[in-house]
Amino acid sequence: MNHVLCGLAANAALPGELVDRLIAVADADIADGLASRTDLSREQALDLAARVEGSAVQLAYEGRLTAGDINPLTQLQAALALLEAGSGRPDWARLLVEEPDAERRAKLAACPGLPADVRELLAADPDVRVVAELALWTTADLAARLARHPHAEVRRAVAANEATPPRVLAMLINGEGRPPAERCLVCDSERTPYVHDPHCPRPDCDLPSGASCSGSHESTLHELVEQALWNPATPIEALVRIADHPSALLRCRLAARPDLPPETAARLAGDPVPGVRADLAENPAIDDSLMRVLAADRGHDVQHRLAHNPRVPLDILSGLAAATKIGSTLLPRIASASPIEVEDLSRSPNPVVRMLLAERRDLPAEIRDRLAGDPDAKVIKSIAGHPGLAEAQLRSMVERHGSRVIAKVAANPETPSALLEYLTGHMTPVRKALREVARHRNATSRALLVCLTDQNARRIAAGHAALPPETIVELLGDHDWQVVEAAAANPSLPPAVMAQLIPELNEA
């Protein structure tokens, strides 16, 4: 891989004539960067698509190529991309359904708006993977028909399809109104009874870890129920009995359903597996009384997940802040707090509560400034990134709390250049702070040169436009390929150097 040319392909300042030269010598890696350029002309996009088919696929997905630009006979993958995006031609689908490669037919089966005759051909495909992919994405009427398919893998896909009618989903779960499945992927390839070794050494084996079949296709049918639990179209009435299912995984999925009835939630609150109770704790469907029960639950992750529930009462949340390590993150309930609640939270005697509030970036100036002067470093680390803070406030944070808050101050997008230089030049550098300075829009060349002394920050700083041009050129010879690519992508790289780096076509 030519890392210099890969970097140049992504360089926003690369002149148009050099883009043309780069297209002429592009391989698949260089084409990835070129296809991502927003300044590609239509002619350049067509030239790139003609040279590297992978870029044609990317350009097709992004809507920068149309059906008139693609020949489905020679650019099959791009044609599939346009069909998947809903921009292809129906006659392409009729051509591609005859494609001998089953993986490509499966990709076709996932495309929207397929002609009815193509869907019927895919539904009768000899490869069950193709039929299953169709079942996952097809229309309600065909999904209902495929629910009777003899292969359990197809039925599993029907259970995941949100277009599948609710009554069909209920029958799939209960096993009613449908003949039993005759086959699954396990018994297709192995003599039953069989349990797939999770550490299977066979490189050509594609069975899922732990897949099993004793003649009843149990692992696939278990996955069918799991998919139905994720499916919002599945009627909750068909799922509540899973509260007593021996599988903890299925009970976890049930506990997370947003339409969970109160009586079922109450049963799951007593589940012996903490993971089930943790999924329940984060579910906004549970009521305040159940949240108070779960707030006292010391099971692994239960209290932590309850803190992330968007409907948790603030008094419960305040108690959780004292009882469990939540971390510095913007919790949904904090984000939705009213102005009065924000005022109360800002005056909480618990610094963790003030820290959680400080993660908001829309605080009134008065509350922001109050938190900026907080004596607790946890609060300062959270408020340091808030917009509107003055340079004096940011400097005060660093002077009071030192290395504990430097990285957060450096990450504030409004931190001025002078303070960034101070953080890198007048204090013992903190590695994380150097990485933040290296990507900061206000970073100066002086600050960036310090960042180059740290290997991780160097990879970021090499792409910063404020670096001196001569330094950027030097970095093109760095031993670290990530530094080389970043330097080549740097918009401050002199155009004359860019031109020297791209070989002429007859030299490629």
Side-chain angles (χ1 to χ4, degrees):
M1 180 184 294
N2 189 320
H3 295 291
V4 170
L5 296 186
C6 286
L8 280 176
N11 194 315
L14 190 68
E17 62 272 16
L18 295 185
V19 173
D20 290 334
R21 279 177 53 185
L22 199 50
I23 290 172
V25 298
D27 59 15
D29 296 315
I30 297 168
D32 280 346
L34 288 168
S36 299
R37 296 184 64 89
T38 58
D39 62 347
L40 275 187
S41 68
R42 176 169 172 74
E43 182 178 354
Q44 288 171 331
L46 291 173
D47 288 345
L48 183 60
R51 180 172 177 83
V52 181
E53 184 178 6
S55 63
V57 173
Q58 184 176 342
L59 291 166
Y61 275 128
E62 294 175 357
R64 299 165 75 182
L65 294 179
T66 65
D69 301 324
I70 295 297
N71 182 344
L73 296 176
T74 59
Q75 296 172 298
L76 186 147
Q77 295 289 358
L80 279 170
L82 282 179
L83 283 170
E84 186 177 348
S87 303
R89 292 175 176 168
D91 56 302
W92 292 359
R94 296 187 177 95
L95 174 69
L96 296 172
V97 76
E98 304 294 340
E99 168 65 33
D101 187 335
E103 288 189 10
R104 290 175 175 172
R105 297 198 308 275
K107 190 169 184 179
L108 174 66
C111 295
L114 293 173
D117 57 321
V118 172
R119 285 189 279 118
E120 292 299 329
L121 288 171
L122 292 169
D125 197 281
D127 193 309
V128 70
R129 295 172 298 173
V130 176
V131 186
E133 192 67 22
L134 177 69
L136 182 60
W137 302 104
T138 196
T139 56
D141 56 342
L142 185 51
R145 283 171 46 201
L146 291 174
R148 301 181 64 89
H149 197 279
H151 205 286
E153 186 68 14
V154 176
R155 298 186 183 193
R156 183 198 67 80
V158 171
N161 188 337
E162 294 185 15
T164 301
R167 59 177 179 79
V168 175
L169 290 166
M171 286 188 284
L172 279 171
I173 296 168
N174 298 326
E176 300 171 353
R178 296 286 185 275
E182 299 173 9
R183 308 190 314 279
C184 69
L185 292 179
V186 179
C187 59
D188 278 350
S189 57
E190 304 291 342
R191 178 177 296 178
T192 58
Y194 178 82
V195 177
H196 186 227
D197 182 356
H199 307 290
C200 179
R202 294 179 296 174
D204 60 339
C205 180
D206 56 3
L207 286 176
S209 176
S212 65
C213 180
S214 60
S216 59
H217 326 298
E218 57 272 12
S219 67
T220 306
L221 294 180
H222 184 279
E223 291 175 4
L224 182 155
V225 177
E226 183 182 355
Q227 294 299 323
L229 279 161
W230 281 116
N231 193 333
T234 306
I236 190 61
E237 297 79 14
L239 297 172
V240 291
R241 63 184 180 86
I242 293 171
D244 299 316
H245 198 283
S247 168
L249 175 61
L250 296 184
R251 300 198 307 275
C252 281
R253 299 290 181 262
L254 176 63
R257 288 278 302 198
D259 52 358
L260 192 65
E263 59 274 16
T264 306
R267 288 167 61 192
L268 292 171
D271 196 281
V273 176
V276 176
R277 305 196 305 275
D279 279 335
L280 179 68
E282 198 169 359
N283 190 338
I286 63 176
D287 58 29
D288 289 7
S289 61
L290 193 54
M291 290 187 197
R292 296 187 187 281
V293 171
L294 293 169
D297 190 327
R298 303 292 293 178
H300 176 67
D301 215 28
V302 176
Q303 293 176 324
H304 186 269
R305 298 281 294 279
L306 180 60
H308 286 76
N309 190 311
R311 292 188 58 253
V312 63
L314 286 177
D315 66 307
I316 295 179
L317 183 55
S318 296
L320 292 171
T324 187
K325 187 174 182 180
I326 297 173
S328 54
T329 185
L330 180 58
L331 297 176
R333 182 63 183 88
I334 297 290
S336 64
S338 69
I340 294 176
E341 290 172 332
V342 166
E343 175 68 30
D344 291 342
L345 291 168
S346 72
R347 298 185 183 280
S348 170
N350 186 343
V352 177
V353 173
R354 302 196 305 273
M355 174 194 75
L356 294 172
L357 176 63
E359 287 294 329
R360 279 185 59 155
R361 293 295 175 259
D362 60 347
L363 295 173
E366 179 184 353
I367 292 177
R368 177 202 64 202
D369 293 344
R370 181 187 307 153
L371 294 173
D374 200 280
D376 195 290
K378 293 190 297 293
V379 180
I380 298 303
K381 286 176 67 175
S382 289
I383 199 64
H386 200 288
L389 289 168
E391 179 177 357
Q393 290 174 301
L394 295 170
R395 281 184 180 271
S396 175
M397 293 175 186
V398 174
E399 290 167 359
R400 286 183 287 129
H401 299 286
S403 61
R404 290 177 293 178
V405 303
I406 289 176
K408 294 294 186 180
V409 170
N412 188 315
E414 297 180 4
T415 297
S417 300
L419 182 52
L420 293 174
E421 285 193 5
Y422 173 75
L423 297 179
T424 57
H426 297 281
M427 304 190 65
T428 302
V430 175
R431 287 188 174 185
K432 190 173 181 181
L434 290 179
R435 294 197 295 271
E436 296 295 348
V437 174
R439 62 171 59 93
H440 203 289
R441 63 189 180 191
N442 294 334
T444 63
S445 59
R446 180 179 299 178
L448 291 168
L449 290 173
V450 178
C451 294
L452 292 177
T453 62
D454 176 80
Q455 189 58 44
N456 290 325
R458 183 182 185 87
R459 295 167 179 166
I460 304 168
H464 200 293
L467 270 181
E470 60 273 17
T471 302
I472 302 170
V473 174
E474 289 176 10
L475 292 172
L476 293 173
D478 199 87
H479 69 279
D480 186 329
W481 67 267
Q482 294 180 63
V483 173
V484 173
E485 279 201 12
N490 194 315
S492 293
L493 184 67
V497 176
M498 296 180 187
Q500 293 170 6
L501 295 171
I502 302 175
E504 297 287 353
L505 184 58
N506 58 6
E507 299 175 6

